[in-house]
Amino acid sequence: MKKFNIRKVLDGLTSSSSSAASLQSGNRENDMIQETLQSEHFQLCKTVRHGFPYQPSSMAFDPVQKILAIGTQSGALRLFGRAGVECFCQHESGSAVIQLEFLVNEGALVSALADDSIHLWNLRQKLPAVLHSLKFNRERITFCHLPFQSKWLYVGTERGNIHIVNVESFTLSGYVIMWNKAIELSSKTHPGPVVHISDNPMDEGKLLIGFECGIVVLWDLKSKKADYRYSYDEAIHSVAWHHEGKQFVCSHSDGTLTTWNIRAPAKPAQIITPHGKQPKDGKKPEPCKPILKVEYKTTRAGDPFMILCGGLSYDTVGRRACLTVMHGKSTAVLEMDYPIVDFLTLCETPYPNDFQEPYAVVVLLEKDLVLIDLAQIGYPIFENPYPLSIHESPVTCCEYFADCPAEVIPALYSVGSRQKRQGFSKKEWPISGGNWGQGTLSFSEMIITGHADGSIKFWDASALMLQVLYKLKTAKVFEKPRSKEEKSSTEIVDEDPFAIQILSWCPESRVLCVAGVSAHVIVYRFSKQEVTTEVVQLLEVRMQCELNEVESPECGGEQASAVSTPGTQSSPQTSLPQSHPSTSSNNSSDGLRDNVPCLKVRSSPLKQSAGYQVELLIQLVWVSGEPPQQITSLAVNSAYGLVAFGNGNGLAVIDYLQKTLLLNMSIAELYGSTDPHHRQPRSPRKTRQPSAGLCDGNDASAAPEEKCKSPTGSGSLCNSDEDSKQKLIDRVKSKSKRISKTVANDFAKISRKINMIADQKDDARDNSFSRSRSSSVTSIDRESREVISSFYFCDSLSKKSETVAVPSLWVGTSLGSMLAIVLTVPSTPEQRMQQPLGVAFCGPVVRLKGGILRMAQLDASGTLLPHVYESWYEPNAPEEERERPQRRRPTSPPSTLENPDCQYAVVCSEKQAKVVAMPSQNCVYEHNITETSFVLRADVVTMTAGVGIACFCANGHIMTLSLPSLRPLLDVNYLPLTDMRIARTFCFSNQGQALYLTSPTEIQRITYIQETCDNLQEMLGELFTPVETPEAPNQGFFKGLFGGGAQSLDREDLFGEVSAGKASRSLAQHIPGPGGMEGMKGAASGVVGELARARIALDERGQKLGELEERTAAMMASADSFSKHAHDVMLKYKDKKWYQL
């Protein structure tokens, strides 16, 4: 365990860190802080990916292993087994997966890609790896077919040829079916690409080849010629066999289905148009849309199923995609929410020459996966156990909580179970393969996602799984316009006005606070009881500070008077929804909107089910024709009963227990006389708000500059002489920028951190201490706008003279300042509800380069102090039954004369991290995180081995720093920032966990802890499990006697190198696997996987040896019995004559 001496650290600081304060106490050099985190504790790796596969393109199912595989347009593979068994792997090329074929019950999968390559994946290990690849050079792959229990893969190409690949060695056979030999003189033109290949279920030597033009050929593999050719005028999309091998069905581009008898190629036995209108005069029905796929499945006891997608009439414009199930005389049309990508029918047997007995249909949609139960009336769907609804509405923000209180998840599950839909199939989910991992994590994990429609989802993310617990709809508190014409003119976003922008959640008290893009904040309390709220408690806040022009901060001038907005002083501005002012009645004299919120609050009673219930709604209002700025930071604290939020205008602190506005201050007022910036007066061009970027383009007219309006919730804030002097100096605001509506709408959907990053130029972001009062960066050409970027509630020694920790609010800004506000909170619950809270300003504590992202607190030993909170209690219980717990406060050792500093403030910005001793406010450690990039997300995280800072930079680096010495422990170039979605959703959590939204539909979880990486193999589920293949169907005595049963084919003799020769080397290139780092990791995962496979192989061998021994013993017993009977017969007839027999 390494020890660090503070004096030595200070002596070793470089000139770039010369601003670190020197230690004041002479005895301090003897203080030693022990740190347990070392670099060997860290390693970065992906753990699991959740959600629906983004842009799916193909699908396959193993009917014996019961594993589903889905390929995507980006070359990804997602494999699904039972609930909780999922796997993600990626093709190196990133080309779209056009087809997937399982080697049934072999633990292998063949994938065909759009770049004309085919790959063999080994699924017998927890992280699948590519064993072989074959890249075609001269022909484009269009269709593949792998017969059941065969090692020869048929590959159809765009030229109309068929090549045959040995999937064991991944080499091409010399046997090739050329298109011109297949069609011969049946067509004068090229038949087009191969769109279908399948062998006759009853005769493996007969291959059915479908060409796009409408020609189907039955090819005899042994004689190497076509037996029959079937021709139709319309293009073919798919072909399906009857299991007896005497008929097949084709689907066509005109919406027809043609049924052919294999021995009658002249014309179809039947032509039907499932969705076509039948004319009365006997003419052909009107053409319909193409039937993209058809499957023909038989049952032993009833009529066969014919299942198809597409084929709807052209007059059904705007109708959603449908799956049609034809069973006997009934036809069911099942509408889907999204377009159909593919579907598969799940059957009881894997053998194609037996009655199929279909029991379900898997339908892969563009944004969903649906399983339909064919065995129940009405075809209900199965309840999906996978977390595929992450993207139900686009994710706009995300938070990750590891090691949260154990009782929270059961509580949320209890209330969320009442929200589940009804009417699902009563059967078990049929995709049930694989086994769960053996290892698990000892802590519970939760993920909270905010969505564009205003909904919030709580997910149980424990043990590398993901399950939705509870869904909250925040839009219920607002009136929804029925049409675009009814849309309020006060809304500041064109789309998704209820979208969630920031989340703040206290797991211990279960208090939730959310900020939306329409400048609104909602506070929720958790309750197990259902209530009906007659009137939603509303607080309207006017955040605006218009300043007189000031040439420089040193200039004197007459102080601008503080004009308080009515209703925002010590008495709360709580207005009933019925009395909300309309837009027309609250226009100022020059016709501008004023004192109007962006959204209209619901006027009817709100029924709130058990779960999260609205405690308070806060809305920012329009000011003199300008819309409110979007909220850039948010924090809630249950111990103090306060919510703090900020934007480019300043910050507001709300007492959600008393429903009052406690504080409403501009950023300049927070600094007081210590403001380090030269602030330019507001630009008279007031078209846009600096940080909102969401204003309507119609608001071009500007009101004249007014004096500062600084409504506060405490009467003492504006009365002191010190505040008066401060206001003389800091009446400045940065000039607003004109932002196009396109950019504005884009900014509406990203979080506060990205708003600041996108808005500020590089020179503004690189805000260092070289910016003195005389710096030229305060010119209009080099402006830098300051917004509130972060908050932190704590019990701290914020004032230099303090010896006892008191409730405080730390405020971080986008220009690197950390300021402190001391709060006076009444001690007893009764006083807390009756007495107002006091506020005192301490000014700046420390300054850093870049915007402040995260703040935290350590005690004198370097241990992270937990946040103050109040434990959860039932808010709707009667007063006499309510047991309100006392708030939990972190304990800090009292300061002494020898060591007055007993706390450390940890502050991390976009560029730097600093550790500041409190209350002396001396900077004891400093580290420049990045010079060329900037930090997007930083969190102070707790791990088993200690506490540290985790950072994610825009250049893709993930870094960790020790605390308090800020030693770099990990720096990995993991993920370059290619998408704003990653920056918006990336978040770290305790115990070395992190996640981000890797696509609009998928969450990628990662770990940066060595221990988790080492145990990952045990925690991951197994896809392949040893399962015995079902017995082949019995042919029956007469079929076996007269040759009517299934005909087998020795493909090895036909396609092998001895008889077929070698294929051309230039046709395809063989690439040995494993491919890609993940495949290599999977293959090398190594001894565990190899031992497991060896054990399985030994078990199988031992089982076979045991069966052989049993059979041998049975044969020996039979031989002994036969010998005994023969001896008895011999003795019986030994002495008898032939005529005596």
Side-chain angles (χ1 to χ4, degrees), residues 136 152 161 335 540 674 679 885 974 1011 1022 1111:
F136 281 76
W152 297 95
N161 304 323
E335 281 196 354
E540 292 181 350
T674 59
R679 300 180 184 270
Y974 170 70
E1011 182 183 1
E1022 290 181 308
R1111 289 177 185 172

mmCIF file of all heavy atoms in Angstrom, residues 136 152 161 335 540 674 679 885 974 1011 1022 1111:
data_model
loop_
_atom_site.group_PDB
_atom_site.id
_atom_site.type_symbol
_atom_site.label_atom_id
_atom_site.label_comp_id
_atom_site.label_asym_id
_atom_site.label_seq_id
_atom_site.Cartn_x
_atom_site.Cartn_y
_atom_site.Cartn_z
ATOM 1 N N PHE A 136 -15.683 -14.150 -51.622
ATOM 2 C CA PHE A 136 -15.871 -14.332 -53.063
ATOM 3 C C PHE A 136 -15.347 -13.094 -53.795
ATOM 4 O O PHE A 136 -15.644 -11.962 -53.400
ATOM 5 C CB PHE A 136 -17.342 -14.563 -53.378
ATOM 6 C CG PHE A 136 -17.801 -15.972 -53.098
ATOM 7 C CD1 PHE A 136 -18.028 -16.408 -51.803
ATOM 8 C CD2 PHE A 136 -18.001 -16.859 -54.143
ATOM 9 C CE1 PHE A 136 -18.426 -17.702 -51.544
ATOM 10 C CE2 PHE A 136 -18.423 -18.162 -53.896
ATOM 11 C CZ PHE A 136 -18.629 -18.585 -52.601
ATOM 12 N N TRP A 152 -22.403 -29.333 -46.378
ATOM 13 C CA TRP A 152 -22.212 -28.681 -47.677
ATOM 14 C C TRP A 152 -23.208 -27.538 -47.818
ATOM 15 O O TRP A 152 -24.419 -27.737 -47.762
ATOM 16 C CB TRP A 152 -22.366 -29.682 -48.824
ATOM 17 C CG TRP A 152 -21.327 -30.766 -48.771
ATOM 18 C CD1 TRP A 152 -21.451 -31.991 -48.206
ATOM 19 C CD2 TRP A 152 -19.992 -30.673 -49.262
ATOM 20 N NE1 TRP A 152 -20.285 -32.695 -48.324
ATOM 21 C CE2 TRP A 152 -19.359 -31.916 -48.975
ATOM 22 C CE3 TRP A 152 -19.256 -29.696 -49.925
ATOM 23 C CZ2 TRP A 152 -18.047 -32.182 -49.326
ATOM 24 C CZ3 TRP A 152 -17.951 -29.958 -50.277
ATOM 25 C CH2 TRP A 152 -17.342 -31.182 -49.981
ATOM 26 N N ASN A 161 -25.372 -18.485 -60.810
ATOM 27 C CA ASN A 161 -24.644 -19.729 -60.567
ATOM 28 C C ASN A 161 -24.780 -20.156 -59.113
ATOM 29 O O ASN A 161 -25.092 -19.349 -58.235
ATOM 30 C CB ASN A 161 -23.158 -19.561 -60.906
ATOM 31 C CG ASN A 161 -22.954 -19.091 -62.333
ATOM 32 O OD1 ASN A 161 -23.682 -19.500 -63.239
ATOM 33 N ND2 ASN A 161 -21.971 -18.222 -62.542
ATOM 34 N N GLU A 335 -51.765 -7.108 -38.095
ATOM 35 C CA GLU A 335 -51.055 -5.847 -38.337
ATOM 36 C C GLU A 335 -49.874 -5.707 -37.388
ATOM 37 O O GLU A 335 -49.951 -6.047 -36.214
ATOM 38 C CB GLU A 335 -52.001 -4.654 -38.160
ATOM 39 C CG GLU A 335 -52.903 -4.411 -39.336
ATOM 40 C CD GLU A 335 -53.527 -3.022 -39.293
ATOM 41 O OE1 GLU A 335 -53.330 -2.324 -38.277
ATOM 42 O OE2 GLU A 335 -54.188 -2.635 -40.257
ATOM 43 N N GLU A 540 -44.304 29.076 -10.680
ATOM 44 C CA GLU A 540 -43.773 29.709 -11.882
ATOM 45 C C GLU A 540 -42.596 30.608 -11.491
ATOM 46 O O GLU A 540 -42.700 31.407 -10.553
ATOM 47 C CB GLU A 540 -44.857 30.514 -12.594
ATOM 48 C CG GLU A 540 -45.940 29.625 -13.185
ATOM 49 C CD GLU A 540 -47.002 30.424 -13.918
ATOM 50 O OE1 GLU A 540 -46.983 31.669 -13.802
ATOM 51 O OE2 GLU A 540 -47.850 29.808 -14.583
ATOM 52 N N THR A 674 -16.068 39.463 -6.254
ATOM 53 C CA THR A 674 -14.939 38.630 -6.661
ATOM 54 C C THR A 674 -15.066 38.131 -8.092
ATOM 55 O O THR A 674 -14.377 37.199 -8.488
ATOM 56 C CB THR A 674 -14.832 37.418 -5.728
ATOM 57 O OG1 THR A 674 -16.048 36.666 -5.795
ATOM 58 C CG2 THR A 674 -14.569 37.870 -4.299
ATOM 59 N N ARG A 679 -17.630 41.362 -18.159
ATOM 60 C CA ARG A 679 -18.879 40.955 -18.788
ATOM 61 C C ARG A 679 -19.372 42.067 -19.700
ATOM 62 O O ARG A 679 -19.435 43.225 -19.309
ATOM 63 C CB ARG A 679 -19.936 40.637 -17.731
ATOM 64 C CG ARG A 679 -19.509 39.510 -16.810
ATOM 65 C CD ARG A 679 -20.556 39.215 -15.765
ATOM 66 N NE ARG A 679 -20.071 38.202 -14.845
ATOM 67 C CZ ARG A 679 -20.232 36.895 -15.005
ATOM 68 N NH1 ARG A 679 -20.880 36.451 -16.065
ATOM 69 N NH2 ARG A 679 -19.757 36.037 -14.133
ATOM 70 N N PRO A 885 -38.254 9.666 9.224
ATOM 71 C CA PRO A 885 -36.903 9.425 9.752
ATOM 72 C C PRO A 885 -36.071 10.697 9.739
ATOM 73 O O PRO A 885 -36.346 11.649 9.014
ATOM 74 C CB PRO A 885 -36.332 8.386 8.773
ATOM 75 C CG PRO A 885 -37.066 8.656 7.495
ATOM 76 C CD PRO A 885 -38.445 9.130 7.883
ATOM 77 N N TYR A 974 -10.588 4.249 -26.032
ATOM 78 C CA TYR A 974 -11.658 3.254 -26.173
ATOM 79 C C TYR A 974 -12.624 3.560 -27.307
ATOM 80 O O TYR A 974 -12.887 2.734 -28.159
ATOM 81 C CB TYR A 974 -12.428 3.149 -24.854
ATOM 82 C CG TYR A 974 -13.699 2.336 -24.933
ATOM 83 C CD1 TYR A 974 -13.637 0.959 -25.096
ATOM 84 C CD2 TYR A 974 -14.950 2.931 -24.854
ATOM 85 C CE1 TYR A 974 -14.784 0.196 -25.180
ATOM 86 C CE2 TYR A 974 -16.107 2.183 -24.926
ATOM 87 C CZ TYR A 974 -16.016 0.821 -25.091
ATOM 88 O OH TYR A 974 -17.159 0.074 -25.183
ATOM 89 N N GLU A 1011 -11.105 -6.871 -11.592
ATOM 90 C CA GLU A 1011 -11.805 -7.994 -10.978
ATOM 91 C C GLU A 1011 -13.010 -8.430 -11.797
ATOM 92 O O GLU A 1011 -13.239 -9.627 -12.013
ATOM 93 C CB GLU A 1011 -12.246 -7.602 -9.564
ATOM 94 C CG GLU A 1011 -12.942 -8.709 -8.797
ATOM 95 C CD GLU A 1011 -13.435 -8.261 -7.436
ATOM 96 O OE1 GLU A 1011 -13.245 -7.068 -7.096
ATOM 97 O OE2 GLU A 1011 -14.009 -9.087 -6.719
ATOM 98 N N GLU A 1022 -24.111 -19.210 -21.265
ATOM 99 C CA GLU A 1022 -23.659 -20.123 -22.317
ATOM 100 C C GLU A 1022 -24.757 -20.264 -23.358
ATOM 101 O O GLU A 1022 -25.914 -20.522 -23.019
ATOM 102 C CB GLU A 1022 -23.318 -21.488 -21.726
ATOM 103 C CG GLU A 1022 -22.066 -21.494 -20.873
ATOM 104 C CD GLU A 1022 -21.772 -22.892 -20.342
ATOM 105 O OE1 GLU A 1022 -22.683 -23.497 -19.762
ATOM 106 O OE2 GLU A 1022 -20.645 -23.357 -20.508
ATOM 107 N N ARG A 1111 -25.243 -52.105 -24.817
ATOM 108 C CA ARG A 1111 -25.644 -52.891 -25.989
ATOM 109 C C ARG A 1111 -24.858 -54.203 -26.066
ATOM 110 O O ARG A 1111 -25.393 -55.265 -26.399
ATOM 111 C CB ARG A 1111 -25.418 -52.071 -27.256
ATOM 112 C CG ARG A 1111 -26.385 -50.909 -27.423
ATOM 113 C CD ARG A 1111 -26.056 -50.107 -28.657
ATOM 114 N NE ARG A 1111 -26.894 -48.919 -28.763
ATOM 115 C CZ ARG A 1111 -26.710 -47.974 -29.666
ATOM 116 N NH1 ARG A 1111 -25.710 -48.081 -30.530
ATOM 117 N NH2 ARG A 1111 -27.520 -46.937 -29.704
#
